[in-house]
């Protein structure tokens, strides 16, 4: 059966995460229902995603695949499925792919951004779309601590107790912290992420930025492999799945706007 890949963006504020649930208030349930209506069948169309996002987490670029006999032009997939989706979810592109493409297992890396507002008062215009920290932050100390996280490590200290991954070892390729006016923008790229891993890393970095822990606390946490010793899980509001990288053979990495980030990340 032919396979189609879709690029998806969504505001996760009103959704209970990606993965299907009995109450059906999830991005996956909503997308699969829309696909069924677009296909003219009275049933959801199953999909596989590149990375499951949690409640309140957003996506500038989620990738899914589905198997279907429905033949439509790429643009028809985009406009047709979007006609059955709410304003907070939209297909960005569609492309036929080979049978050996898998949205999850073919991915080489995932990139997340975390958008953090620094200010004395919480920002109502960014409610649900950016995290907030009112304390002063030592960004240089946070960058020093972030450097200890790069490479292949056992990230058990930053893994949710509900994580279903077979092992806690991940390779973190990038962890940058950029200052853009009142925002801090964290960029994290890894081969894959554990459940709550990004939010737990952000929480630990903020402990160091606030002066509650020294820089060398970060490598000590890695070595301890004990979630109980680390910082609380930080808020999901500012977390965005922003890019998925695939091998060139699948032709999904062209610079045609598919990997463009949401506007907050381009603020000067």
């Amino acid at each position: 059966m032919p396979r189609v890949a879709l690029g998806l963006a969504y505001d996760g504020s009103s959704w209970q995460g990606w993965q299907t649930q009995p109450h059906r208030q999830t991005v996956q349930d909503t997308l699969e229902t829309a696909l069924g209506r677009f296909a003219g069948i009275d049933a959801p169309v199953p999909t596989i995603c590149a990375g499951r996002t949690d409640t309140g987490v957003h996506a500038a670029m989620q990738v899914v695949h589905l198997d279907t006999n429905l033949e439509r032009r790429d643009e028809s997939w985009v406009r047709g499925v979007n006609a059955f989706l709410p304003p907070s979810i939209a297909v960005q592109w569609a492309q036929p792919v080979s049978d050996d493409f898998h949205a999850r297992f073919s991915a080489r890396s995932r990139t997340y951004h975390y958008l953090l507002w620094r200010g004395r008062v919480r920002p109502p215009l960014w409610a649900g779309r950016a995290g907030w920290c009112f304390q002063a932050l030592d960004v240089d100390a946070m960058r020093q601590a972030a450097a200890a996280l790069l490479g292949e490590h056992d990230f058990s200290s930053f893994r949710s107790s509900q994580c279903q991954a077979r092992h806690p070892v991940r390779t973190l390729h990038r962890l940058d912290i950029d200052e853009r006016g009142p925002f801090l923008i964290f960029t994290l790229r890894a081969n894959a992420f554990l459940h709550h891993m990004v939010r737990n890393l952000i929480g630990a970095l903020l402990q160091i930025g606030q002066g509650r822990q020294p820089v060398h606390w970060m490598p000590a946490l890695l070595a301890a492999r004990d979630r109980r010793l680390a910082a609380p899980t930080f808020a999901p509001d500012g977390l965005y799945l922003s890019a998925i990288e695939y091998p060139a053979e699948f032709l999904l990495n062209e610079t045609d706007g598919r990997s463009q980030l949401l506007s907050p990340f381009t603020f000067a």
Side-chain angles (χ1 to χ4, degrees), residues 13 114-135 182-184 234-235 237-238 240 267:
S13 301
Y114 196 97
L115 188 63
L116 181 75
W117 174 277
R118 297 175 293 174
R120 185 179 60 82
V121 180
R122 60 180 174 83
L125 295 181
W126 289 97
R129 294 178 176 85
W132 171 48
C133 181
F134 61 85
Q135 296 98 334
F183 291 103
L184 279 187
F234 201 60
D237 306 45
Y240 297 78
F267 281 175

Side-chain angles (χ1 to χ4, degrees), residues 37-239:
R37 295 179 67 186
F38 174 67
I41 59 176
D42 189 23
V45 175
T47 61
I48 300 292
C49 76
R52 292 175 291 184
T53 52
D54 296 330
T55 298
V57 176
H58 317 290
M61 187 50 61
Q62 172 72 273
V63 176
V64 306
H65 81 253
L66 60 138
D67 296 321
T68 177
N69 286 318
L70 187 66
E71 296 184 6
R72 293 289 188 275
R73 295 182 297 108
D74 294 354
E75 188 65 14
S76 295
W77 277 101
V78 174
R79 296 189 179 277
V81 177
N82 283 344
F84 297 106
L85 287 170
S88 58
I89 305 173
V91 176
Q92 304 295 295
W93 53 263
Q95 180 178 313
V97 288
S98 59
D99 291 345
D100 57 347
F101 172 82
H102 193 284
R104 178 184 174 190
F105 296 127
S106 298
R108 284 182 169 172
S109 70
R110 287 95 171 152
T111 299
Y112 280 88
H113 283 81
Y114 196 97
L115 188 63
L116 181 75
W117 174 277
R118 297 175 293 174
R120 185 179 60 82
V121 180
R122 60 180 174 83
L125 295 181
W126 289 97
R129 294 178 176 85
W132 171 48
C133 181
F134 61 85
Q135 296 98 334
L137 295 173
D138 184 340
V139 179
D140 287 337
M142 294 167 66
R143 289 176 177 142
Q144 292 177 47
L149 297 165
L150 297 176
E152 184 179 87
H153 300 286
D154 181 326
F155 283 95
S156 292
S157 292
F158 306 96
R159 179 185 193 181
S160 164
S161 61
Q162 300 175 341
C163 183
Q164 298 176 357
R166 288 176 293 180
H167 62 82
V169 177
R170 295 292 185 268
T171 302
L172 189 63
H173 302 293
R174 179 183 179 187
L175 205 176
D176 295 339
I177 307 173
D178 296 318
E179 297 184 80
R180 307 276 183 91
F183 291 103
L184 279 187
I185 301 175
F186 299 80
T187 304
L188 301 94
R189 181 170 63 87
N191 61 336
F193 289 89
L194 302 167
H195 188 215
H196 286 175
M197 178 174 160
V198 175
R199 292 165 58 192
N200 290 334
L201 289 173
I202 298 297
L205 288 168
L206 289 177
Q207 292 281 307
I208 292 169
Q210 293 164 9
R212 298 182 180 182
Q213 296 289 349
V215 170
H216 61 75
W217 181 59
M218 190 65 79
L221 277 181
L222 273 176
R225 303 177 183 179
D226 188 341
R227 176 72 190 105
R228 296 170 297 178
L229 302 178
T233 303
F234 201 60
D237 306 45
L239 185 56

